[in-house]
Amino acid sequence: MNLAPWQVELDAARDLWADRVALCSNLAELRSVQVDALGKNGAVTALVRRIGEVANADKRAYGQASAALKLVCETAIADKQTALELAEVAAELADDTFDVTLPPAAVLAQKPRAPGQSGGQSGGQSGGQSGGQQLGHLHPLCRVQTDVEAVFTSMGFAVLDYPEVESEFNNFESLNIPGWHPARDMQDTFWLDNGLLLRTHTSSGQVRAMHTFAPPFRAIFAGKVFRYEATDASHEHTFHQLEGLLIDRVVSVGHLLDSMRTLLSAILRRDVQVRLRPGYFPFVEPGFELDLQCQLCAGAGCSACKQSGWLELLPCGLVHPQVLRAGGLDPAQWQGWAFGLGLSRLAMMRYGIGDVRHLLSGDARFLAQF
Ligand code: FA5
């Protein structure tokens, strides 16, 4: 059957535009093809308008065929657009430099604060605010803990994590503090109904570590501790400690004290005065109290140091043989040293915080200064 010339022309146009749409590799190219075909002066638009030039007998058939051509073009372009958009999203997701957590450009444009930089206790502005966007930052306790952990990991210590809810054995008995021992009064305890307790010190992790690792080993473990006691500028009922424990064939007080000095100079980044006194803890022998000259008053006396000029910060000593036994180690074979750093007080000294109770207050005006 012979086709009318206009029919041949419409069929050819359908094939041509189908090919041109199929060849588009991006949305800009497709948009250009759409204008060329269906725009005001587009080729398909022109074909549709040409109905006026067609013989009356063919007008109806031409109208239907040209409308079909237009519909085929529109459908092909819409389908192609969907496919290209999906491909663009897939390509973005496949690109691992695409960071969905990245804050908006306005926030990124702000100058970041250097870690450890403090705004002091008053007058600081909340960092990270722009166009309604707020940028978070680490809590000062977190920063100090991370820095202390970095110092000790560089000395080969493992970083461990132990529970806040503890057994009486781990918190007291294993540390040579039986129920009748007066040392229990030094750490008034929150007891739970089920006989467990909220750990009063991170030393509760000592025998846990001894039972977990084969000696020799060295480890630190930090976290919240809880004491049922009245609060003041340097005492909180909930505060943070960081415990260090080193077990080896032979250990020395010199190595212990040298490690404590390394720790303090790395964290406080200045020359500090310390004083060493004998200290009594049933789980170390000998035991020491390492006090830091108060950084808030430079030793002159203030409420944070109870007017003494010194702050108890870093008790330590050689692990008592009874504790080694409780941890399954033979004291004839193994020795150890341990310390229990007052992390909250170290944060106070580093950032010039005059009252430990600010730290866990959750007060945004306080936190915004760091
Ligand atoms: C202890 O908790 C021992 N477990 C430390 C230890 C570990 C000694 C290993 C020997 C060997 P003490 O109760 O002194 O010790 O607490 C340790 C440190 O925690 C103190 O020096 C002080 O810096 C800090 N600290 C104690 N009580 C509070 C409190 N209520 N608020 C804030 N910090 C405190």
Side-chain angles (χ1 to χ4, degrees), residues 201 203 227 229 235-236 239 241 243 281 312 315 340 342 345:
H201 53 177
S203 301
R227 293 188 191 175
E229 62 182 35
H235 291 84
E236 184 51 304
F239 59 99
Q241 287 187 342
E243 193 87 2
F281 302 91
E312 283 181 11
R345 290 193 187 163

Side-chain angles (χ1 to χ4, degrees), residues 181-350:
H181 201 290
R184 287 234 179 163
D185 297 343
M186 288 157 66
Q187 300 181 2
D188 283 338
T189 309
F190 288 105
W191 291 92
L192 306 182
D193 289 344
N194 58 6
L196 297 176
L197 51 84
L198 297 184
R199 66 179 174 193
T200 58
H201 53 177
T202 45
S203 301
S204 58
Q206 286 195 14
V207 293
R208 282 182 178 274
M210 291 179 204
H211 281 298
T212 312
F213 298 98
F217 70 85
R218 44 185 75 188
I220 51 170
F221 27 100
K224 266 194 212 125
V225 302
F226 310 84
R227 293 188 191 175
Y228 184 59
E229 62 182 35
T231 70
D232 59 30
S234 57
H235 291 84
E236 184 51 304
H237 50 71
T238 302
F239 59 99
H240 284 70
Q241 287 187 342
L242 187 143
E243 193 87 2
L245 176 65
L246 179 145
I247 302 289
D248 213 327
R249 294 282 180 197
V250 180
V251 304
S252 74
V253 172
H255 181 225
L256 165 64
L257 298 180
D258 192 53
S259 304
M260 301 301 96
R261 268 185 226 112
T262 305
L263 162 69
L264 291 179
S265 59
I267 300 302
L268 295 170
R269 300 179 196 144
R270 61 190 98 121
D271 279 341
V272 288
Q273 296 286 324
V274 292
R275 88 180 169 187
L276 193 67
R277 330 174 255 131
Y280 176 67
F281 302 91
F283 37 97
V284 286
E285 180 57 42
F288 305 98
E289 286 279 9
L290 200 150
D291 303 334
L292 177 72
Q293 189 181 63
C294 181
Q295 303 293 293
L296 297 165
C297 61
C302 66
S303 60
C305 60
K306 294 217 180 80
Q307 312 304 330
S308 71
W310 296 94
L311 210 64
E312 283 181 11
L313 185 72
L314 196 40
C316 52
L318 300 190
V319 179
H320 195 287
Q322 280 296 93
V323 180
L324 292 169
R325 274 188 210 104
L329 301 178
D330 178 359
Q333 302 284 329
W334 298 102
Q335 302 178 349
W337 58 245
F339 67 88
L341 167 67
L343 202 61
S344 303
R345 290 193 187 163
L346 185 59
M348 289 171 70
M349 294 298 104
R350 171 150 159 189

Side-chain angles (χ1 to χ4, degrees), residues 15 25 33 37 81 100 131 144-145 152 159-160 168 173 192 220 226-227 234 236 256 278-279 288 310-311 326 350 365:
D15 293 346
S25 59
V33 169
Q81 180 171 341
V100 289
V144 176
Q145 180 176 333
F152 279 98
V159 179
L160 310 176
E168 184 177 0
E173 312 264 343
L192 306 182
I220 51 170
F226 310 84
R227 293 188 191 175
S234 57
E236 184 51 304
L256 165 64
F288 305 98
W310 296 94
L311 210 64
R350 171 150 159 189
R365 292 166 305 174

Side-chain angles (χ1 to χ4, degrees), residues 9-192:
E9 194 178 358
L10 291 184
D11 285 350
R14 192 191 54 214
D15 293 346
L16 170 79
W17 291 107
D19 283 350
R20 288 209 43 198
V21 168
L23 286 172
C24 289
S25 59
N26 58 52
L27 288 166
E29 282 175 21
L30 184 67
R31 176 79 191 128
S32 161
V33 169
Q34 185 181 30
V35 170
D36 290 350
L38 300 169
K40 210 165 120 201
N41 301 314
V44 174
T45 310
L47 285 172
V48 172
R49 283 196 193 129
R50 207 190 291 164
I51 192 165
E53 300 165 20
V54 175
N56 280 346
D58 290 341
K59 269 201 191 332
R60 185 187 169 85
Y62 185 90
Q64 285 175 344
S66 62
L69 167 65
K70 185 174 174 229
L71 186 64
V72 165
C73 281
E74 286 171 345
T75 309
I77 289 170
D79 289 350
K80 185 73 180 180
Q81 180 171 341
T82 306
L84 288 173
E85 283 171 352
L86 286 175
E88 263 187 20
V89 172
E92 273 182 15
L93 290 176
D95 179 359
D96 59 10
T97 60
F98 179 81
D99 182 358
V100 289
T101 64
L102 210 59
V107 176
L108 283 176
Q110 292 176 109
K111 190 164 178 280
R113 253 191 185 154
Q117 186 180 338
S118 163
Q121 273 231 74
S122 61
Q125 288 294 310
S126 173
Q129 189 154 8
S130 169
Q133 293 286 339
Q134 271 189 309
L135 205 56
H137 59 74
L138 290 180
H139 190 283
L141 274 169
C142 239
R143 283 192 181 165
V144 176
Q145 180 176 333
T146 308
D147 289 353
V148 175
E149 287 174 351
V151 171
F152 279 98
T153 48
S154 76
M155 297 195 281
F157 281 70
V159 179
L160 310 176
D161 191 23
Y162 288 127
E164 291 170 359
V165 173
E166 259 298 3
S167 65
E168 184 177 0
F169 177 79
N170 284 338
N171 197 81
F172 289 124
E173 312 264 343
S174 68
L175 294 168
N176 204 20
I177 316 176
W180 51 265
H181 201 290
R184 287 234 179 163
D185 297 343
M186 288 157 66
Q187 300 181 2
D188 283 338
T189 309
F190 288 105
W191 291 92
L192 306 182

